[in-house]
Each structure stands twice: as C-alpha cells, then as structure tokens.
C-alpha cells in the first residue's frame, strides 16, 4: 500500500517555506520518526535537488501520535553551504490518520 505525505519545510536562515508531496511503499508514520525523515530527505535529494548531492544532520525529531505529524530540526548540507531547517511531515490524506495511538 502506498502512503502519500505532505512535508512543509522551513529555512531558518531566510524564513523561506516550501511544501512537498512524496510517497512511500509502506506507512512510515507507524515506523520510527527518523525513518520518515530519511524518506523525505531521500525524496529531496533525488527528486527536488538531484544535482546537489545533499547531506543532512537531524538534531531533533518528534512524533505527535494524536496529530499524526513528525517534526524535525537539523541542518541541510548542500554545495552552497549549511542551511538550518525545520520540517513537519504528515499524511497527505487526513482520513488515513490513526488517532489515539
């Protein structure tokens, strides 16, 4: 079963905000919060910024089960320098959200 997510990423240095939609073959919201962040970063690396060859460090990742959202902060490492970021990832279809777990 494919699960689609929406990720809203904020650039802490400039205040810029971007929204991304990506999919995984399994529901990573039920997996560890880091696995979901890794799937998003893999999407950014291969689809959004394929020529950059990004790296990243996650400093904090929290999962709010009741709201079905993972929030992570860290540093995106690209050719033009390090970019502090915050990203919030949730299922794109709110009806897929599992509440109370």
């Amino acid at each position: 079963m494919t699960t689609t997510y929406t990720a809203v990423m904020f650039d802490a240095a400039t205040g810029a905000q971007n929204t991304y939609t990506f999919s995984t073959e399994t529901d990573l919201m039920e997996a560890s919060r880091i696995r979901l962040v890794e799937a998003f970063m893999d999407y950014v690396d291969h689809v959004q910024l394929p020529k950059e060859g990004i790296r990243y460090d996650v400093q904090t990742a929290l999962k709010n089960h009741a709201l079905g959202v993972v929030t992570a902060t860290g540093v995106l490492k690209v050719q033009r320098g390090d970019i502090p970021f915050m990203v919030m990832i949730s299922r794109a279809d709110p009806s897929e959200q599992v509440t109370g777990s």
Side-chain angles (χ1 to χ4, degrees):
M1 174 180 120
T2 300
T3 303
T4 304
Y5 301 93
T6 298
V8 180
M9 189 173 203
F10 300 89
D11 176 337
T14 66
Q17 169 186 326
N18 289 301
T19 301
Y20 306 94
T21 302
F22 68 102
S23 298
T24 62
E25 292 300 316
T26 59
D27 184 1
L28 293 179
M29 193 59 75
E30 299 304 317
S32 74
R33 57 194 181 266
I34 294 299
R35 285 204 49 220
L36 183 55
V37 173
E38 286 172 347
F40 169 65
M41 289 299 184
D42 185 62
Y43 166 79
V44 170
D45 186 29
H46 292 94
V47 177
Q48 292 295 318
L49 300 172
K51 295 179 181 178
E52 291 276 348
I54 70 161
R55 293 177 300 126
Y56 61 93
D57 289 327
V58 173
Q59 296 165 342
T60 304
L62 304 169
K63 185 188 295 186
N64 184 312
H65 291 279
L67 296 177
V69 65
V70 168
T71 304
T73 61
V75 178
L76 189 63
K77 298 175 178 232
V78 295
Q79 292 172 356
R80 61 185 177 271
D82 292 356
I83 304 169
F85 72 86
M86 181 184 82
V87 64
M88 295 182 295
I89 307 168
S90 61
R91 290 183 185 95
D93 182 352
S95 69
E96 294 178 355
Q97 181 172 323
V98 178
T99 57
S101 31

